[in-house]
Amino acid sequence: MRAGVFDSGVGGLTVVKSLLEHSLFDEIIYFGDTARVPYGIKDKNTIIRYSLEAVEFFKNFDIDILIAACNSVSAYAIDELKAVAPFKVSGVIQPGVKALTNKAKNLDAKILILGTKATINSQKYKRLLNSQGYYNINSLATSLFVPVVEEGLFEGDVLKSVMNHYFDGIDEPDFIILGCTHFPLIKNEISKFFPNATLIHSGEAVVWFLKNSFNIPKSKSQTSLKLFASENPDKLKEVAKKWLYNS
Amino acid sequence: MRAGVFDSGVGGLTVVKSLLEHSLFDEIIYFGDTARVPYGIKDKNTIIRYSLEAVEFFKNFDIDILIAACNSVSAYAIDELKAVAPFKVSGVIQPGVKALTNKAKNLDAKILILGTKATINSQKYKRLLNSQGYYNINSLATSLFVPVVEEGLFEGDVLKSVMNHYFDGIDEPDFIILGCTHFPLIKNEISKFFPNATLIHSGEAVVWFLKNSFNIPKSKSQTSLKLFASENPDKLKEVAKKWLYNS
């Protein structure tokens, strides 16, 4: 099977990493809209427009399923994508919520949702969790995490002061939803701040969800990965080398 | 006279503020490309493409001059803008260098250039200063200043730790070029770090440059300002109220 993975930039590679680890597909076509990144600070209508343009790109490939790895896209454009795409579509929010409900057996579990402004403002995670009966929910738009990660500051004083800024006065939650593809890259530092919280990672959540919802057979061959970007594909390939293959 | 002011987002309003204070124009048409902001992390070709599209927008108005308030546009696209625009075009880099040379009488003056990745990588400031005989030049891509300002953190621990990150080990310069429209908003904090350095502000530089290079008569009426954005013009208007009129 062949999957398309769509993200606003390089962040969706954290989802690709999980897909590769589980050899879920024979081939993955990745498209990062690096010429218009980031989406997380943009409007609903803009995000929908950009996402529909990405569908046109993926029509050039014979993909079986499109995974919108970007939480902002999943928050605002998933219905629009499903309406026009000639292939299956999965976001990361429904899988993230499913991953949480698999683990959080008590409905009074304290849940902290972290995301971009777009994702948090959409209230997509919160509403889905509410509809499942969870009510102890705190949402935080931790916008600066994205540029800090983009700057390569996965630890250290800058990240610490940014975490203090957002997390000061926040009670330790039982579960934290990493509602942005960039956040798994700083999960160790988040865990230092909240050592007892269980983190929900979009990549892992998507793997579980795809296996269980779409009955995707495990690929027997090694997954081949093709990388495309709306600008500077070389930078995407460089980041992929580092994040995916640690080289 | 009527001016167009073009920026990647809301940052160019710091240049508009200077233009308003000096009543340089009867009317200012502002366009912020908020649907694709920020430009400072993007490629040369992308920035040129977006800038040429902005020219098309300004053709709808009978402007006498277009001011590219964005340093990244001034760094990469100014020649292309001048080649196609049916009106005069001014960037902010040449004015900034002129403002500095007016003040820095010694060619061994220590100059620190701050800007986005695009502006610093272009080496536009550095080359212009070199051609004028200055050689004691340090360039720093202080990328995180933009999202920190966008987050409204004009002072405090986050900004301090970000400044420490970039400025630690940097000798105090005689002059600092604020090579991004966002940076005047944190000029007080920059001055706390380097109390003896003279700051060069794009807005002030452009006013001086326009007066002296284009012989623009001082407008007798109050400048009327029209604001446009490629997404969320309401947010632009809100920021304008706060930055321009402190209300």
Side-chain angles (χ1 to χ4, degrees):
Chain A
M1 285 186 86
R2 185 181 286 137
V5 175
F6 166 45
D7 186 58
S8 56
V10 301
L13 290 172
T14 59
V15 172
V16 169
K17 194 179 170 102
S18 300
L19 296 174
L20 292 180
E21 281 166 2
H22 293 264
S23 302
L24 227 52
F25 297 102
D26 302 299
E27 186 169 40
I28 292 174
I29 313 288
Y30 185 94
F31 174 64
D33 192 7
T34 47
R36 303 190 288 201
V37 73
Y39 284 7
I41 56 171
K42 309 244 154 84
D43 272 4
K44 179 179 179 174
N45 289 336
T46 306
I47 292 170
I48 290 173
R49 185 157 54 90
Y50 293 171
S51 301
L52 294 180
E53 287 172 21
V55 169
E56 293 308 308
F57 170 83
F58 283 106
K59 281 183 183 169
N60 296 312
F61 303 89
D62 186 26
I63 62 171
D64 300 290
I65 184 166
L66 175 63
I67 299 157
C70 176
N71 276 270
S72 306
V73 170
S74 304
Y76 278 137
I78 206 73
D79 292 339
E80 285 77 2
L81 284 176
K82 284 180 179 167
V84 305
F87 28 75
K88 286 174 191 160
V89 174
S90 171
V92 285
I93 292 183
Q94 209 189 338
V97 167
K98 186 69 193 139
L100 186 137
T101 58
N102 283 343
K103 291 178 180 175
K105 296 302 172 196
N106 299 322
L107 292 177
D108 66 347
K110 272 193 286 186
I111 300 165
L112 176 62
I113 305 162
L114 306 180
T116 62
K117 274 203 184 95
T119 299
I120 296 303
N121 287 345
S122 78
Q123 299 205 46
K124 253 307 176 43
Y125 275 110
K126 189 167 183 291
R127 281 192 197 136
L128 263 175
L129 288 165
N130 282 154
S131 73
Q132 308 273 318
Y134 299 91
Y135 56 88
N136 221 333
I137 300 167
N138 201 352
S139 300
L140 265 187
T142 52
S143 312
L144 284 172
F145 284 178
V146 176
V148 167
V149 165
E150 294 273 348
E151 191 80 346
L153 303 173
F154 304 122
E155 54 183 2
D157 289 344
V158 169
L159 183 58
K160 247 180 239 165
S161 74
V162 169
M163 284 196 174
N164 278 326
H165 170 68
Y166 291 122
F167 293 156
D168 244 21
I170 303 278
D171 274 351
E172 174 144 27
D174 302 310
F175 295 90
I176 299 176
I177 292 180
L178 303 174
C180 170
T181 49
H182 282 72
F183 300 174
L185 293 157
I186 50 171
K187 66 180 188 322
N188 293 342
E189 298 302 305
I190 294 173
S191 283
K192 278 183 198 162
F193 218 100
F194 299 121
N196 298 312
T198 301
L199 306 189
I200 306 293
H201 177 309
S202 295
E204 292 307 307
V206 161
V207 167
W208 190 93
F209 190 80
L210 292 177
K211 277 185 184 171
N212 287 275
S213 305
F214 291 100
N215 286 318
I216 291 170
K218 189 168 168 160
S219 161
K220 279 171 198 103
S221 58
Q222 218 195 340
T223 309
S224 115
L225 174 63
K226 286 205 175 73
L227 298 167
F228 297 89
S230 52
E231 76 156 34
N232 210 340
D234 288 342
K235 193 197 155 194
L236 175 67
K237 284 169 192 167
E238 224 172 85
V239 176
K241 258 192 203 167
K242 219 186 302 173
W243 289 7
L244 301 180
Y245 309 111
N246 299 314
S247 68
Chain B
M1 285 185 87
R2 186 180 286 137
V5 175
F6 167 45
D7 187 57
S8 56
V10 301
L13 290 173
T14 60
V15 172
V16 169
K17 194 178 170 99
S18 299
L19 296 174
L20 292 180
E21 280 166 4
H22 292 265
S23 303
L24 227 52
F25 297 102
D26 302 300
E27 186 168 41
I28 292 174
I29 313 289
Y30 185 94
F31 174 64
D33 191 8
T34 46
R36 302 191 289 201
V37 73
Y39 284 7
I41 56 171
K42 310 244 155 86
D43 272 5
K44 179 180 179 174
N45 289 335
T46 306
I47 293 170
I48 290 173
R49 184 157 55 90
Y50 293 171
S51 302
L52 294 180
E53 287 172 21
V55 169
E56 293 308 308
F57 170 84
F58 282 107
K59 280 184 184 169
N60 296 311
F61 303 88
D62 186 26
I63 62 171
D64 300 289
I65 185 166
L66 175 64
I67 299 157
C70 176
N71 276 269
S72 305
V73 170
S74 304
Y76 278 137
I78 206 75
D79 292 339
E80 285 77 3
L81 284 176
K82 283 180 179 167
V84 305
F87 28 74
K88 287 175 189 158
V89 174
S90 170
V92 286
I93 292 184
Q94 209 189 338
V97 167
K98 186 72 193 139
L100 186 137
T101 58
N102 283 343
K103 290 178 179 175
K105 297 302 171 198
N106 299 322
L107 291 177
D108 66 348
K110 272 194 288 187
I111 300 165
L112 176 63
I113 305 163
L114 306 180
T116 62
K117 275 204 184 96
T119 299
I120 296 303
N121 287 345
S122 78
Q123 299 205 45
K124 253 306 174 44
Y125 275 110
K126 189 168 184 288
R127 281 192 196 134
L128 264 174
L129 288 165
N130 282 153
S131 73
Q132 308 272 318
Y134 299 90
Y135 55 88
N136 220 333
I137 299 167
N138 201 350
S139 300
L140 265 187
T142 51
S143 312
L144 284 173
F145 284 178
V146 176
V148 167
V149 165
E150 295 273 348
E151 191 80 346
L153 303 173
F154 304 124
E155 55 183 0
D157 289 344
V158 169
L159 183 58
K160 247 180 237 165
S161 74
V162 169
M163 285 194 173
N164 278 326
H165 171 68
Y166 291 122
F167 293 157
D168 245 20
I170 303 277
D171 274 351
E172 173 143 28
D174 301 310
F175 294 91
I176 299 176
I177 293 181
L178 303 174
C180 170
T181 49
H182 283 72
F183 299 174
L185 293 157
I186 51 171
K187 66 182 190 320
N188 293 343
E189 297 302 305
I190 294 173
S191 284
K192 277 183 197 162
F193 218 101
F194 298 122
N196 297 313
T198 301
L199 305 189
I200 306 293
H201 177 310
S202 295
E204 292 306 306
V206 161
V207 166
W208 190 93
F209 191 79
L210 292 177
K211 277 185 184 171
N212 286 276
S213 304
F214 291 100
N215 287 319
I216 292 170
K218 188 168 169 163
S219 160
K220 280 171 197 105
S221 58
Q222 218 196 340
T223 309
S224 115
L225 174 63
K226 287 205 174 73
L227 299 167
F228 297 89
S230 52
E231 75 156 33
N232 211 342
D234 288 342
K235 193 197 155 192
L236 175 67
K237 283 168 192 168
E238 223 172 87
V239 176
K241 257 193 204 167
K242 218 186 303 174
W243 289 6
L244 302 180
Y245 309 109
N246 299 314
S247 67

